[in-house]
Amino acid sequence: DAKTTQPTSMDCAEGRAANLPCNHSTISGNEYVYWYRQIHSQGPQYIIHGLKNNETNEMASLIITEDRKSSTLILPHATLRDTAVYYCIVRVSGGGADGLTFGKGTHLIIQP
Amino acid sequence: SQTIHQWPATLVQPVGSPLSLECTVEGTSNPNLYWYRQAAGRGLQLLFYSVGIGQISSEVPQNLSASRPQDRQFILSSKKLLLSDSGFYLCAWSVGRGSYEQYFGPGTRLTVT
């Protein structure tokens, strides 16, 4: 699986859009980009995933660059409850059912 | 809708004592099931996963074991706990093959004293 690089921490003002970057320069053609977040003392929560097209759901938008070497998770109107560690994970889909490898992620702090 | 339960929520056990953590999933059939551990200040580590009853894959050799006696039940066990077993234990489920859209339970915080 391709490795990912994320900033250790970020701040964002409440009500503003939070843009979380992820670099995955060694991603291969059949690898998807997945985003999870973990609020303190809770289990991780699936947010969104994509292959090459931009994706949007009720939680967030995922923008993947044309060369697929990086992506950005966008929380359009951040609230205090969005304070969490956000993980960007790259995995091949269509294979087995093995688990996820979580890195250190980005600690996003939403400021009031 | 699907729900995942873990118990107990917190547990304090002495070194050398046995362990049994239980996870059950409702609202889905033949899920893939996972056990992860998060030690203090560290990332999530996959311990075991299962694609069906009696089928267990171990990711990290240690003094823990897992069993899946029923389709939607996953148990994490140890015969003798070590101090290094302390951590936050999370169960997760997914469906199908090749999807990494996993759903996590509330977790069990284990402290070994």
Side-chain angles (χ1 to χ4, degrees):
Chain A
D1 300 317
K3 291 187 68 173
T4 62
T5 304
Q6 298 178 252
T8 303
S9 64
M10 293 180 62
D11 287 353
C12 179
E14 188 177 18
R16 306 295 293 268
N19 297 283
L20 293 99
C22 179
N23 285 324
H24 30 78
S25 58
T26 61
I27 193 170
S28 58
N30 61 349
E31 288 186 306
Y32 285 71
V33 180
Y34 285 79
W35 282 85
Y36 282 77
R37 73 179 182 183
Q38 187 176 20
I39 295 170
H40 182 62
S41 295
Q42 297 183 23
Q45 177 187 24
Y46 165 80
I47 301 173
I48 198 167
H49 74 279
L51 183 62
K52 50 185 172 182
N53 297 323
N54 297 338
E55 302 287 342
T56 295
N57 62 21
E58 65 279 3
M59 288 184 67
S61 295
L62 174 61
I63 308 299
I64 303 174
T65 57
E66 192 169 344
D67 64 7
R68 302 206 327 119
K69 293 185 177 182
S70 66
S71 60
T72 301
L73 179 74
I74 301 173
L75 308 178
H77 305 287
T79 70
L80 297 177
R81 288 178 296 178
D82 291 322
T83 292
V85 178
Y86 287 76
Y87 299 98
C88 169
I89 301 168
V90 171
R91 289 304 298 267
V92 175
S93 278
D98 53 330
L100 293 162
T101 301
F102 288 81
K104 296 186 186 301
T106 295
H107 188 194
L108 175 67
I109 300 171
I110 305 302
Q111 305 282 3
Chain B
S1 65
Q2 300 88 355
T3 54
I4 180 169
H5 303 279
Q6 284 187 249
W7 62 91
T10 60
L11 190 60
V12 180
Q13 292 283 94
V15 168
S17 63
L19 173 74
S20 181
L21 302 181
E22 189 164 342
C23 169
T24 58
V25 180
E26 296 177 356
T28 187
S29 295
N30 195 29
N32 306 311
L33 296 173
Y34 308 86
W35 280 111
Y36 290 84
R37 177 173 65 196
Q38 189 169 36
R42 303 185 69 177
L44 279 146
Q45 179 186 38
L46 177 67
L47 301 175
F48 301 94
Y49 70 93
S50 171
V51 299
I53 296 173
Q55 301 178 61
I56 309 294
S57 296
S58 173
E59 290 293 303
V60 182
Q62 52 205 322
N63 70 321
L64 300 172
S65 62
S67 62
R68 185 170 176 173
Q70 300 180 43
D71 182 44
R72 289 170 286 179
Q73 183 186 32
F74 207 21
I75 297 171
L76 183 70
S77 304
S78 174
K79 293 182 179 177
K80 288 185 177 182
L81 284 168
L82 307 172
L83 284 175
S84 57
D85 292 324
S86 294
F88 191 39
Y89 287 81
L90 290 152
C91 181
W93 66 272
S94 69
V95 292
R97 297 293 179 262
S99 171
Y100 295 100
E101 191 173 330
Q102 295 184 6
Y103 299 92
F104 286 77
T108 294
R109 191 161 300 281
L110 171 67
T111 303
V112 182
T113 60

PDB file of all heavy atoms in Angstrom, chain B residues 11-33:
ATOM      1  N   LEU B  11     -12.173  -1.714  31.904  1.00  0.00           N
ATOM      2  CA  LEU B  11     -11.773  -2.922  32.628  1.00  0.00           C
ATOM      3  C   LEU B  11     -10.404  -2.695  33.240  1.00  0.00           C
ATOM      4  O   LEU B  11      -9.495  -2.203  32.564  1.00  0.00           O
ATOM      5  CB  LEU B  11     -11.730  -4.093  31.655  1.00  0.00           C
ATOM      6  CG  LEU B  11     -11.563  -5.507  32.207  1.00  0.00           C
ATOM      7  CD1 LEU B  11     -12.705  -5.857  33.144  1.00  0.00           C
ATOM      8  CD2 LEU B  11     -11.492  -6.500  31.056  1.00  0.00           C
ATOM      9  N   VAL B  12     -10.278  -3.038  34.516  1.00  0.00           N
ATOM     10  CA  VAL B  12      -8.982  -2.994  35.190  1.00  0.00           C
ATOM     11  C   VAL B  12      -8.680  -4.403  35.655  1.00  0.00           C
ATOM     12  O   VAL B  12      -9.466  -4.997  36.402  1.00  0.00           O
ATOM     13  CB  VAL B  12      -9.001  -2.017  36.388  1.00  0.00           C
ATOM     14  CG1 VAL B  12      -7.633  -2.003  37.067  1.00  0.00           C
ATOM     15  CG2 VAL B  12      -9.379  -0.616  35.928  1.00  0.00           C
ATOM     16  N   GLN B  13      -7.550  -4.940  35.181  1.00  0.00           N
ATOM     17  CA  GLN B  13      -7.204  -6.324  35.485  1.00  0.00           C
ATOM     18  C   GLN B  13      -5.764  -6.410  35.966  1.00  0.00           C
ATOM     19  O   GLN B  13      -4.901  -5.688  35.469  1.00  0.00           O
ATOM     20  CB  GLN B  13      -7.340  -7.196  34.236  1.00  0.00           C
ATOM     21  CG  GLN B  13      -8.767  -7.396  33.730  1.00  0.00           C
ATOM     22  CD  GLN B  13      -9.532  -8.392  34.565  1.00  0.00           C
ATOM     23  OE1 GLN B  13     -10.230  -8.004  35.498  1.00  0.00           O
ATOM     24  NE2 GLN B  13      -9.394  -9.669  34.241  1.00  0.00           N
ATOM     25  N   PRO B  14      -5.460  -7.313  36.910  1.00  0.00           N
ATOM     26  CA  PRO B  14      -4.069  -7.486  37.345  1.00  0.00           C
ATOM     27  C   PRO B  14      -3.274  -8.281  36.316  1.00  0.00           C
ATOM     28  O   PRO B  14      -3.828  -9.068  35.537  1.00  0.00           O
ATOM     29  CB  PRO B  14      -4.202  -8.255  38.662  1.00  0.00           C
ATOM     30  CG  PRO B  14      -5.494  -8.978  38.544  1.00  0.00           C
ATOM     31  CD  PRO B  14      -6.393  -8.123  37.713  1.00  0.00           C
ATOM     32  N   VAL B  15      -1.966  -8.062  36.321  1.00  0.00           N
ATOM     33  CA  VAL B  15      -1.065  -8.838  35.482  1.00  0.00           C
ATOM     34  C   VAL B  15      -1.251 -10.324  35.772  1.00  0.00           C
ATOM     35  O   VAL B  15      -1.390 -10.737  36.932  1.00  0.00           O
ATOM     36  CB  VAL B  15       0.403  -8.433  35.749  1.00  0.00           C
ATOM     37  CG1 VAL B  15       1.369  -9.420  35.113  1.00  0.00           C
ATOM     38  CG2 VAL B  15       0.665  -7.036  35.223  1.00  0.00           C
ATOM     39  N   GLY B  16      -1.274 -11.123  34.711  1.00  0.00           N
ATOM     40  CA  GLY B  16      -1.407 -12.559  34.870  1.00  0.00           C
ATOM     41  C   GLY B  16      -2.829 -13.070  34.884  1.00  0.00           C
ATOM     42  O   GLY B  16      -3.059 -14.287  34.840  1.00  0.00           O
ATOM     43  N   SER B  17      -3.800 -12.174  34.920  1.00  0.00           N
ATOM     44  CA  SER B  17      -5.204 -12.601  34.926  1.00  0.00           C
ATOM     45  C   SER B  17      -5.685 -12.821  33.497  1.00  0.00           C
ATOM     46  O   SER B  17      -5.087 -12.325  32.539  1.00  0.00           O
ATOM     47  CB  SER B  17      -6.073 -11.550  35.619  1.00  0.00           C
ATOM     48  OG  SER B  17      -6.045 -10.336  34.903  1.00  0.00           O
ATOM     49  N   PRO B  18      -6.774 -13.580  33.327  1.00  0.00           N
ATOM     50  CA  PRO B  18      -7.302 -13.814  31.986  1.00  0.00           C
ATOM     51  C   PRO B  18      -8.136 -12.630  31.506  1.00  0.00           C
ATOM     52  O   PRO B  18      -8.512 -11.754  32.278  1.00  0.00           O
ATOM     53  CB  PRO B  18      -8.171 -15.057  32.166  1.00  0.00           C
ATOM     54  CG  PRO B  18      -8.613 -14.986  33.586  1.00  0.00           C
ATOM     55  CD  PRO B  18      -7.498 -14.351  34.345  1.00  0.00           C
ATOM     56  N   LEU B  19      -8.412 -12.655  30.187  1.00  0.00           N
ATOM     57  CA  LEU B  19      -9.178 -11.569  29.578  1.00  0.00           C
ATOM     58  C   LEU B  19     -10.193 -12.146  28.610  1.00  0.00           C
ATOM     59  O   LEU B  19      -9.903 -13.109  27.877  1.00  0.00           O
ATOM     60  CB  LEU B  19      -8.250 -10.622  28.819  1.00  0.00           C
ATOM     61  CG  LEU B  19      -8.922  -9.533  27.981  1.00  0.00           C
ATOM     62  CD1 LEU B  19      -9.496  -8.449  28.875  1.00  0.00           C
ATOM     63  CD2 LEU B  19      -7.951  -8.943  26.969  1.00  0.00           C
ATOM     64  N   SER B  20     -11.373 -11.561  28.584  1.00  0.00           N
ATOM     65  CA  SER B  20     -12.354 -11.885  27.559  1.00  0.00           C
ATOM     66  C   SER B  20     -13.135 -10.621  27.229  1.00  0.00           C
ATOM     67  O   SER B  20     -13.825 -10.083  28.083  1.00  0.00           O
ATOM     68  CB  SER B  20     -13.302 -12.984  28.037  1.00  0.00           C
ATOM     69  OG  SER B  20     -14.236 -13.296  27.027  1.00  0.00           O
ATOM     70  N   LEU B  21     -12.971 -10.152  26.004  1.00  0.00           N
ATOM     71  CA  LEU B  21     -13.725  -8.987  25.514  1.00  0.00           C
ATOM     72  C   LEU B  21     -14.658  -9.471  24.417  1.00  0.00           C
ATOM     73  O   LEU B  21     -14.261 -10.255  23.555  1.00  0.00           O
ATOM     74  CB  LEU B  21     -12.786  -7.920  24.950  1.00  0.00           C
ATOM     75  CG  LEU B  21     -11.726  -7.357  25.883  1.00  0.00           C
ATOM     76  CD1 LEU B  21     -10.899  -6.294  25.152  1.00  0.00           C
ATOM     77  CD2 LEU B  21     -12.347  -6.777  27.130  1.00  0.00           C
ATOM     78  N   GLU B  22     -15.885  -8.965  24.445  1.00  0.00           N
ATOM     79  CA  GLU B  22     -16.866  -9.441  23.492  1.00  0.00           C
ATOM     80  C   GLU B  22     -17.363  -8.320  22.590  1.00  0.00           C
ATOM     81  O   GLU B  22     -17.490  -7.175  23.015  1.00  0.00           O
ATOM     82  CB  GLU B  22     -18.040 -10.085  24.219  1.00  0.00           C
ATOM     83  CG  GLU B  22     -19.008 -10.803  23.303  1.00  0.00           C
ATOM     84  CD  GLU B  22     -19.931 -11.755  24.053  1.00  0.00           C
ATOM     85  OE1 GLU B  22     -19.616 -12.117  25.189  1.00  0.00           O
ATOM     86  OE2 GLU B  22     -20.960 -12.130  23.468  1.00  0.00           O
ATOM     87  N   CYS B  23     -17.619  -8.696  21.355  1.00  0.00           N
ATOM     88  CA  CYS B  23     -18.132  -7.757  20.356  1.00  0.00           C
ATOM     89  C   CYS B  23     -19.259  -8.443  19.609  1.00  0.00           C
ATOM     90  O   CYS B  23     -19.116  -9.609  19.192  1.00  0.00           O
ATOM     91  CB  CYS B  23     -17.010  -7.380  19.397  1.00  0.00           C
ATOM     92  SG  CYS B  23     -17.517  -6.476  17.921  1.00  0.00           S
ATOM     93  N   THR B  24     -20.395  -7.770  19.455  1.00  0.00           N
ATOM     94  CA  THR B  24     -21.474  -8.323  18.649  1.00  0.00           C
ATOM     95  C   THR B  24     -21.984  -7.256  17.682  1.00  0.00           C
ATOM     96  O   THR B  24     -21.970  -6.062  17.989  1.00  0.00           O
ATOM     97  CB  THR B  24     -22.640  -8.820  19.509  1.00  0.00           C
ATOM     98  OG1 THR B  24     -23.135  -7.742  20.294  1.00  0.00           O
ATOM     99  CG2 THR B  24     -22.222  -9.955  20.405  1.00  0.00           C
ATOM    100  N   VAL B  25     -22.415  -7.714  16.531  1.00  0.00           N
ATOM    101  CA  VAL B  25     -22.937  -6.839  15.497  1.00  0.00           C
ATOM    102  C   VAL B  25     -24.376  -7.211  15.234  1.00  0.00           C
ATOM    103  O   VAL B  25     -24.719  -8.397  15.189  1.00  0.00           O
ATOM    104  CB  VAL B  25     -22.103  -6.967  14.202  1.00  0.00           C
ATOM    105  CG1 VAL B  25     -22.656  -6.046  13.119  1.00  0.00           C
ATOM    106  CG2 VAL B  25     -20.649  -6.640  14.479  1.00  0.00           C
ATOM    107  N   GLU B  26     -25.226  -6.216  15.053  1.00  0.00           N
ATOM    108  CA  GLU B  26     -26.627  -6.447  14.729  1.00  0.00           C
ATOM    109  C   GLU B  26     -26.951  -5.820  13.386  1.00  0.00           C
ATOM    110  O   GLU B  26     -26.359  -4.813  12.996  1.00  0.00           O
ATOM    111  CB  GLU B  26     -27.523  -5.827  15.807  1.00  0.00           C
ATOM    112  CG  GLU B  26     -27.382  -6.443  17.185  1.00  0.00           C
ATOM    113  CD  GLU B  26     -28.248  -5.733  18.213  1.00  0.00           C
ATOM    114  OE1 GLU B  26     -28.891  -4.722  17.855  1.00  0.00           O
ATOM    115  OE2 GLU B  26     -28.269  -6.178  19.372  1.00  0.00           O
ATOM    116  N   GLY B  27     -27.897  -6.416  12.685  1.00  0.00           N
ATOM    117  CA  GLY B  27     -28.424  -5.795  11.483  1.00  0.00           C
ATOM    118  C   GLY B  27     -27.671  -6.099  10.211  1.00  0.00           C
ATOM    119  O   GLY B  27     -27.925  -5.461   9.178  1.00  0.00           O
ATOM    120  N   THR B  28     -26.785  -7.082  10.247  1.00  0.00           N
ATOM    121  CA  THR B  28     -26.069  -7.467   9.032  1.00  0.00           C
ATOM    122  C   THR B  28     -25.723  -8.939   9.135  1.00  0.00           C
ATOM    123  O   THR B  28     -25.606  -9.488  10.224  1.00  0.00           O
ATOM    124  CB  THR B  28     -24.806  -6.621   8.818  1.00  0.00           C
ATOM    125  OG1 THR B  28     -24.233  -6.935   7.542  1.00  0.00           O
ATOM    126  CG2 THR B  28     -23.769  -6.865   9.900  1.00  0.00           C
ATOM    127  N   SER B  29     -25.540  -9.579   7.993  1.00  0.00           N
ATOM    128  CA  SER B  29     -25.169 -10.997   7.983  1.00  0.00           C
ATOM    129  C   SER B  29     -23.795 -11.166   7.367  1.00  0.00           C
ATOM    130  O   SER B  29     -23.400 -10.416   6.474  1.00  0.00           O
ATOM    131  CB  SER B  29     -26.187 -11.794   7.161  1.00  0.00           C
ATOM    132  OG  SER B  29     -27.453 -11.765   7.759  1.00  0.00           O
ATOM    133  N   ASN B  30     -23.078 -12.174   7.876  1.00  0.00           N
ATOM    134  CA  ASN B  30     -21.756 -12.523   7.377  1.00  0.00           C
ATOM    135  C   ASN B  30     -20.818 -11.311   7.283  1.00  0.00           C
ATOM    136  O   ASN B  30     -20.186 -11.080   6.249  1.00  0.00           O
ATOM    137  CB  ASN B  30     -21.861 -13.193   6.001  1.00  0.00           C
ATOM    138  CG  ASN B  30     -20.579 -13.901   5.617  1.00  0.00           C
ATOM    139  OD1 ASN B  30     -19.835 -14.361   6.470  1.00  0.00           O
ATOM    140  ND2 ASN B  30     -20.302 -13.976   4.324  1.00  0.00           N
ATOM    141  N   PRO B  31     -20.724 -10.548   8.358  1.00  0.00           N
ATOM    142  CA  PRO B  31     -19.795  -9.404   8.309  1.00  0.00           C
ATOM    143  C   PRO B  31     -18.350  -9.871   8.431  1.00  0.00           C
ATOM    144  O   PRO B  31     -18.064 -10.938   8.962  1.00  0.00           O
ATOM    145  CB  PRO B  31     -20.202  -8.591   9.536  1.00  0.00           C
ATOM    146  CG  PRO B  31     -20.691  -9.616  10.506  1.00  0.00           C
ATOM    147  CD  PRO B  31     -21.377 -10.672   9.673  1.00  0.00           C
ATOM    148  N   ASN B  32     -17.440  -9.058   7.956  1.00  0.00           N
ATOM    149  CA  ASN B  32     -16.027  -9.203   8.306  1.00  0.00           C
ATOM    150  C   ASN B  32     -15.865  -8.517   9.660  1.00  0.00           C
ATOM    151  O   ASN B  32     -16.418  -7.438   9.886  1.00  0.00           O
ATOM    152  CB  ASN B  32     -15.132  -8.508   7.284  1.00  0.00           C
ATOM    153  CG  ASN B  32     -15.412  -8.968   5.870  1.00  0.00           C
ATOM    154  OD1 ASN B  32     -15.484 -10.157   5.583  1.00  0.00           O
ATOM    155  ND2 ASN B  32     -15.625  -8.014   4.973  1.00  0.00           N
ATOM    156  N   LEU B  33     -15.124  -9.139  10.556  1.00  0.00           N
ATOM    157  CA  LEU B  33     -14.964  -8.582  11.898  1.00  0.00           C
ATOM    158  C   LEU B  33     -13.490  -8.372  12.211  1.00  0.00           C
ATOM    159  O   LEU B  33     -12.636  -9.136  11.738  1.00  0.00           O
ATOM    160  CB  LEU B  33     -15.602  -9.517  12.937  1.00  0.00           C
ATOM    161  CG  LEU B  33     -17.129  -9.691  12.815  1.00  0.00           C
ATOM    162  CD1 LEU B  33     -17.630 -10.762  13.776  1.00  0.00           C
ATOM    163  CD2 LEU B  33     -17.831  -8.365  13.082  1.00  0.00           C
TER     164      LEU B  33
END
